[in-house]
């Protein structure tokens, strides 16, 4: 059965949040949606995840800030942005105006900064959810990245959860650069995360063999793109499996990492993701988020699911059945 | 074939293009690409971002090229011409494509060269393939009654592009090469002051390598002309969503900001660019840049 | 300057071991060299690193054992092999016969097994070095991978070092799937590792969207190939930088991960590797290890180095100079 | 062009090949590839591993194809023919190549079909593109005085390959299709017993999907013939260095081992293969396999 337009129910539920479909942009790969709106109506997406915003305006890092690698890229933007006030006034207002659902990503260099940012957003209309980008250095802890340490990660989540109304779900975005992602996931969920976004970029370096120095001015960068999809699928799988095994409470997972097509998105969904973000691939194909939505809908329908949510985590059930009948 | 149009008037579209002509020109490959929807609204100074490597390629990012010229009303739709130097793996792929092959195009992108409201004398300066967008610009300027003088520079003769076109589109055209293999030996800036003065030019348009743009800005300013320069920064997206292509530019309020050269450029007023920020291939964020202070905490 | 045949001194030194050139096969990507010997003389390589061998013969895992991913692949072989006795009798003997330098990779499910394997090899002629593959589950510690925990990693290294003669260098092969690779590297060096090999594969999963189950019969697999090179370069860089900063004693680094060309190898070398292994790419191009050797020699010479060893870690020096003059 | 030769007599070489002819045959693409050094030593049942995707592709692994035929002494050197089904991204790339395009070839690989020492009656069975290597085998067998009967099966008519060639190279040829669109409706094994009996065959050669090979082995054994089957396992390297392509095969000592189908196969005696190990696409290591016990510890 090949379909031009899928009619399957694509409603995605992330805790208390209901979205018309599971497709989102990825933080830092869509700015605040305005530029992509030239190519498609961003209101048609499940949500627009905005670039991680901090309190003050930030210039970002020195350039070059990017290096292309095999099936991927490194970036070292340094969270360039206008600061929370300008963000709320201009970007959030614009998203509201065009009828887009905004998942606002926040970043801080201290627990206090995360809390303040969340408090500032708590009463703003049009915030569908908050995503905390904990892949930033914790100034109080020798610059160690929050996401790499369960107690640091948990303290951010708890602080943010405390100032947000219950109507706004909190997603904790995890880094794959850890020995045990389930441990970090469990710490975030215990601290009150309503969902988990996986994965942020992997730490990488690329060297310019002509200039014989690192390509990125900032030395290290985040690796993203199709190259990392197997790592994203693995992280989602491990956390979903741990939830199924009762090792941590079940919360929704938002998948991100190397999605180029609807079938790539389906990989993440079958592993356990109930929403999917498209990041780097939007640089190559600006209409990718919407294209992937349609391709995913078709793929879900062709596989005989009556609704998108039925496909979430389905590979775990297939595997359990196969092992059971062995 | 219906012509795709941007959801923003004059904005970019993404279109499955097709190469309809390829020609070798010196060290460059000149491609004509059927890309309906791109040509119709493009203006000189804008660029296109082309996908490279074909299906299942490991090269994820598009490559950017100045639009050399457009033909909005071909038989099959609008076409866009680009001039490509074989500079690396992606451009190598492009320069080895044949007629009939598909090329995905996003464009037109970026801000065009601002045009003078009244007829003014203009000097156009191009380095290497940086001359590509200038002849179209020259035509548009002359239509508005402007005098146009062109300076073409390159490392060597084979890296010059458009010597004949320059002669056709200008009052005077001057060629310089670093090695003296054609025209005057030396840099474009060796002759620029003289050409500005002779034409009594008030605007200098330039496209080429960073170092050249800086020098052009200095000479133009010294000779009382405004420099409008089209820069070339490494771009991951070309459409304003990634923040990789930024450079320090001073705004009307005297504040320097890291602006995206893909959407707030590639054309900037030369005297607003903080040229001193580049050293050894690294573009430093100036200490007085908006938001630089916040970077010091981490 | 373009050269057909480079004349630069390519001698590579890994502690007490001197090799005619820095190119090696990667463990598990060349069996014991016999098959590649059909394409080129494996004696011409710096060394042949053999597939990790365990005590007993092993059937390996169920199939499928591989899945192609973007610019990479996943494998889940399960260390199929003949066991140490057959290895010594047939494979090691053959390598000796053809005049190849053998770096023997060993794997164990307990510290005891590692020690016994090393003891068995200690007196065998033709062992140029031992590489301990500590990316295997530690049966005594809930199956936790040795390489993911500094004390487990160190106990393997110490046990092996204790039974090897000082003439045989010991390389500890590290996993990138850890929060802090410098910590593991330091533990291994303190325990007596003469060198570090980086990196082993990254843990990944790929899902078959038609069968809606993981592609690999063994569920997870190791991600390798050009996709992971930025992670390899980053690990090598971090450990080399830590050595330069005196955070751990300086030992040689053997680089591995996604090398396809001589310029890729040079990236690893500039980051700090004094030898380079070619793994997955040999599946695509069986003569890759030797081709990369020649390409690397050419690249080193074209950059004006008088010997290969001068290029090792050079990017750190370039960066230090650049920062110094800023 | 000098002919590369393997460092092991009769062993594989790697060569930069070139496509010199492409033809559509039903659902398949039939390619002739100039690949000096490969053709010269190849024998029926061996295969080649082709690089796919071109330079800078994200597809890292070669794809394997049975050699359909070879012409060791073409004008420019030896050629190899393969028959390719468009089954996924890599084969899609191959089936869309044109004449003149480069294709990197490694081959000949694997063990060929063992030939009977004395003239025997042989039945050749192919499923889908699995028939590709059989006509060359038939020719070699007939040169040795063997009687050859061929059975071709496929899901539907367009998936049959070589119906005419089969007629030319055999005493009798039989066609079956699952949907009855050509020949007898049903499976090859519906007619195999009868063909063996009629020809009084002692050997059955087969190439095709796993399930077919298993069924062919059963029928052949029941009818007193030895089955020699060419299997198709997922292969990362094709040359014996990666251990991905293994399958459980019983040795002369009665012990089952996980053998590499690329170097110890792809041709195995059907009755040595532990067919019951495959279920739902997973190949289980039999409990009694050499080295299976050691896997239980971790
Ligand atoms: C606005 C703009 C207009 C341009 N116009 C032209 C033109 O008309 N003709 C022409 O030949 N070239 C032009 N360039 C430069 C062209 O984009 C680069 O030469 C090309 O991207 C190099 O790609 P590569 O794959 O060959 O090199 P690689 O080095 O393999 O590229 C790796 C990555 O770095 C980026 N990159 C490398 N060099 C440059 C560069 N000089 N500028 C920007 N990105 C780079 C690539 O886009 C790619 O993402 C222009 C660039 C920009 C930004
Ligand atoms: C010894 C041998 C001989 C073969 N002969 C032929 C032939 O004559 N004609 C023909 O059309 N096909 C033949 N095949 C199958 C052919 O190799 C696969 O169809 C092809 O590899 C699929 O690649 P893909 O990129 O299109 O599919 P993808 O699914 O994108 O491939 C992904 C990966 O899985 C592997 N793979 C997928 N399917 C198969 C398969 N069926 N067998 C082995 N590996 C697979 C690929 O090699 C690749 O590494 C043969 C396979 C083997 C092992
Ligand atoms: C240029 C760039 C900027 C990014 N900025 C952010 C960011 O500000 N906050 C964040 O949480 N993730 C950021 N990311 C990570 C992405 O959101 C995403 O997690 C990652 O890139 C993996 O997905 P992908 O492979 O689809 O890009 C950024 C990624 C890129 C490529
Ligand atoms: C099929 C396969 C088998 C491997 N087996 C081993 C092994 O037995 N021991 C080991 O230390 N590493 C093993 N590795 C990891 C490689 O040696 C290497 O560290 C990794 O693949 C990264 O390098 P590459 O990208 O060049 O392949 C294996 C890798 C592959 C692809
Ligand atoms: S290239 Fe992405 S913002 Fe300019
Ligand atoms: S395919 Fe690698 S061993 Fe057979």
């Amino acid at each position: 059965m090949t379909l031009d337009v899928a009619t399957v129910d694509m409603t995605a539920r992330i805790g208390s949040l209901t979205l018309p479909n599971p497709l989102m942009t990825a933080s830092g790969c869509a700015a605040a949606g305005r530029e992509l709106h030239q190519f498609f109506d961003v209101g048609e997406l499940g949500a627009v995840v905005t670039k991680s915003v901090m309190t003050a305006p930030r210039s970002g890092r020195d350039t070059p800030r990017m290096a292309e690698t095999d099936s991927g890229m490194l970036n070292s933007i340094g969270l360039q942005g206008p600061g929370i006030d300008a963000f709320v006034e201009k970007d959030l207002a614009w998203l509201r105006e065009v009828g887009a659902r905004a998942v606002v990503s926040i970043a801080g260099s201290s627990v206090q900064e995360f809390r303040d940012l969340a408090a500032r957003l708590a009463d703003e209309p049009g915030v569908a959810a908050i995503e905390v980008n904990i892949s930033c250095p914790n100034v109080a802890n020798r610059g160690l990245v929050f996401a790499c340490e369960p107690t640091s990660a948990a303290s951010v989540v708890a602080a943010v959860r405390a100032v947000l109304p219950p109507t706004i779900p909190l997603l904790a975005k995890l880094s794959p650069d850890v020995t045990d992602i389930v441990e970090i996931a469990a710490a975030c969920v215990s601290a009150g995360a309503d969902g988990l976004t996986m994965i942020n970029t992997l730490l990488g370096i690329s060297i310019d063999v002509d200039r014989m120095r690192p390509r990125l001015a900032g030395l290290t960068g985040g690796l993203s793109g199709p190259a990392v999809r197997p790592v994203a699928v693995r992280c989602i799988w491990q956390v979903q499996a741990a939830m199924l095994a009762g090792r941590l409470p079940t919360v929704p997972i938002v998948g991100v990492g190397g999605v180029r097509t609807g079938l790539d998105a389906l990989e993440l969904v079958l592993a356990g993701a109930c929403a999917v973000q498209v990041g780097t691939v939007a640089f190559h194909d600006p209409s990718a988020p919407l294209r992937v939505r349609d391709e995913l809908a078709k793929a879900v329908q062709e596989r005989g699911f009556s609704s998108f949510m039925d496909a979430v985590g389905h590979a775990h059930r297939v595997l359990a059945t196969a092992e059971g009948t062995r | 074939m219906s012509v795709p149009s941007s959801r923003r008037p004059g904005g970019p579209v993404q279109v499955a293009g097709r190469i309809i002509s390829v020609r070798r020109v010196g060290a460059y490959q000149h491609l004509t690409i059927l890309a309906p929807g791109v040509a119709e609204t493009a203006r000189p100074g804008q660029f296109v971002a082309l996908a490279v490597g074909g299906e299942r390629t490991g090269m994820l990012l598009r490559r950017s090229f100045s639009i050399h010229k457009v033909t909005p009303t071909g038989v099959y739709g609008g076409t866009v011409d680009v001039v490509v130097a074989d500079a690396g793996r992606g451009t190598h792929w492009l320069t080895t494509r044949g007629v009939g092959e598909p090329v995905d195009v996003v464009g037109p992108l970026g801000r065009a060269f601002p045009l003078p409201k009244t007829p003014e004398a203009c000097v156009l300066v191009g380095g290497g393939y940086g001359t590509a967008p200038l002849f179209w610009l020259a035509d548009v300027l002359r239509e508005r009654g402007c005098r146009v003088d062109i300076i073409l520079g390159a490392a060597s003769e084979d890296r010059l592009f458009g010597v004949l076109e320059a002669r056709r589109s200008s009052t005077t055209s001057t060629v310089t090469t670093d090695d003296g293999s054609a025209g005057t030996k030396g840099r474009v800036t060796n002759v620029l002051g003289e050409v500005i003065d002779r034409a009594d030019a008030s605007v200098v348009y330039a496209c080429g390598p960073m170092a050249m743009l800086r020098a052009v800005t200095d000479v133009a300013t010294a000779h009382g002309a405004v420099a409008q320069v089209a820069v070339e920064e490494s771009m991951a997206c070309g459409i304003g969503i990634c923040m990789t292509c930024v450079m320090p530019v001073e705004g009307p309020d005297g504040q320097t900001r890291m602006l995206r050269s893909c959407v707030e450029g590639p054309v900037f007023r030369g005297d607003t660019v903080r040229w001193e920020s580049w050293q050894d291939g690294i573009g430093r964020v100036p200490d007085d840049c908006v938001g630089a202070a916040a970077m010091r905490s981490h």
Side-chain angles (χ1 to χ4, degrees), chain A residues 37-38 68 71 211 284, chain B residues 7-8 58 62 89 280:
Chain A
H37 204 60
Q38 301 176 104
E68 192 185 56
S71 295
R211 296 165 59 227
H284 181 262
Chain B
R7 302 185 65 251
R8 175 172 68 74
R62 287 174 184 265
R89 51 202 196 168
D280 290 337

Side-chain angles (χ1 to χ4, degrees), chain A residues 66 68, chain B residues 47 59 61-66 83-85 87-92 129 132 231-235 266:
Chain A
M66 73 101 169
E68 192 185 56
Chain B
F47 66 97
M59 294 186 285
L61 305 175
R62 287 174 184 265
R63 271 54 175 171
S64 300
F65 302 94
S66 303
V83 178
V84 182
R89 51 202 196 168
T91 48
H92 181 73
Y129 57 73
V231 303
E232 190 185 303
E233 268 292 331
S234 225
M235 294 179 177

Side-chain angles (χ1 to χ4, degrees), chain A residues 26 34 53 60 99 128 136:
Chain A
R34 220 183 249 104
V53 66
C136 1

Side-chain angles (χ1 to χ4, degrees), chain A:
Chain A
M1 177 171 49
T2 310
L3 303 152
D4 272 355
V5 180
T7 52
V8 67
D9 176 11
M10 288 296 284
T11 307
R13 278 181 301 281
I14 307 179
S16 61
L17 183 66
T18 300
L19 302 174
N21 66 72
L23 258 293
M24 302 181 176
T25 58
S27 179
C29 301
R34 220 183 249 104
E35 296 78 8
L36 290 182
H37 204 60
Q38 301 176 104
F39 296 93
F40 64 90
D41 178 357
V42 295
E44 285 201 47
L45 291 177
V48 172
V49 184
T50 56
K51 167 97 190 145
S52 300
V53 66
M54 295 185 73
T55 310
R58 289 170 64 87
S59 64
R61 297 227 177 82
D62 295 343
T63 60
R65 293 178 175 183
M66 73 101 169
E68 192 185 56
T69 64
D70 290 85
S71 295
M73 68 173 280
L74 291 171
N75 86 80
S76 119
I77 308 298
L79 297 180
Q80 173 165 354
I84 187 71
D85 290 333
F87 169 80
V88 168
E89 268 165 53
K90 293 189 195 139
D91 296 328
L92 191 57
W94 181 85
L95 283 164
R96 221 165 26 224
E97 211 171 279
V98 299
R101 284 154 294 277
V103 171
V104 179
S105 171
I106 58 174
S109 51
S110 66
V111 173
Q112 186 62 43
E113 182 169 7
F114 275 104
R115 187 202 323 263
D116 293 348
L117 287 162
R120 175 78 177 77
L121 289 163
D123 302 323
E124 286 298 329
V127 176
I130 297 280
E131 188 175 86
V132 293
N133 171 6
I134 51 177
S135 294
C136 1
N138 178 355
V139 170
N141 186 9
R142 296 164 294 133
L144 214 85
V145 172
F146 289 101
C148 286
E149 221 264 309
T151 53
S152 306
S155 58
V156 170
V157 170
V160 170
R161 185 63 278 174
V163 298
L164 283 185
T167 49
I168 301 186
L170 185 170
L171 300 170
K173 185 164 179 185
L174 307 187
S175 163
D177 287 329
V178 295
T179 309
D180 181 1
I181 194 151
V182 173
E183 184 190 17
I184 312 284
C188 290
V189 174
S190 310
D194 303 293
L196 302 167
T197 303
M198 286 182 280
I199 56 174
N200 215 313
T201 53
L202 279 75
L203 198 66
I205 294 183
S206 175
I207 293 181
D208 182 328
V209 289
D210 293 321
R211 296 165 59 227
M212 297 203 281
R213 50 153 290 152
R215 278 181 203 279
L216 300 176
L219 177 54
T220 58
L223 182 64
S224 62
V228 310
R229 194 170 61 252
V231 176
V233 174
R234 185 263 299 173
C235 290
I236 296 166
W237 182 284
Q238 285 182 324
V239 172
Q240 174 79 1
M243 288 176 183
L244 292 172
R247 289 174 54 207
L248 72 163
T250 297
V251 299
I253 296 171
V254 177
V256 53
V259 172
R260 171 154 39 194
T261 67
L263 293 181
D264 295 345
L266 184 59
E267 266 201 76
L268 274 59
V269 169
L270 293 170
C274 62
V276 174
Q277 302 178 350
V278 174
T280 308
V281 165
F283 302 164
H284 181 262
D285 174 6
S287 34
L290 211 62
R291 172 178 56 74
V292 170
R293 180 198 65 174
D294 297 340
E295 290 170 354
L296 177 63
K298 199 166 150 239
V300 165
Q301 177 155 339
E302 281 171 359
R303 280 159 186 76
F305 293 105
S306 57
S307 78
F308 164 73
M309 290 302 286
D310 289 345
V312 174
H314 187 68
H316 293 266
R317 294 188 285 274
V318 173
L319 198 62
T321 314
E323 311 260 290
T325 59
R326 201 194 153 179

Side-chain angles (χ1 to χ4, degrees), chain B residues 145-210:
Chain B
C146 298
R147 169 186 167 135
V148 171
D149 294 87
I150 297 186
I151 307 174
L152 284 69
S156 54
E157 183 171 16
D158 63 320
R159 309 227 132 234
L160 287 166
F161 178 80
V163 176
L164 290 178
E165 265 171 301
R167 256 182 236 155
R168 269 200 301 272
S169 349
S170 63
T171 303
T172 73
S173 79
T174 314
V175 168
T176 68
T177 52
D178 296 354
D179 65 358
S181 54
T184 309
K185 184 176 162 113
R187 301 283 160 113
V188 287
T189 40
N190 296 154
V191 302
L192 176 59
E194 202 181 309
V195 175
I196 294 174
D197 293 346
R198 195 173 55 210
D200 195 18
S202 54
V203 192
V204 174
Y205 295 97
C207 184
M210 237 29 169

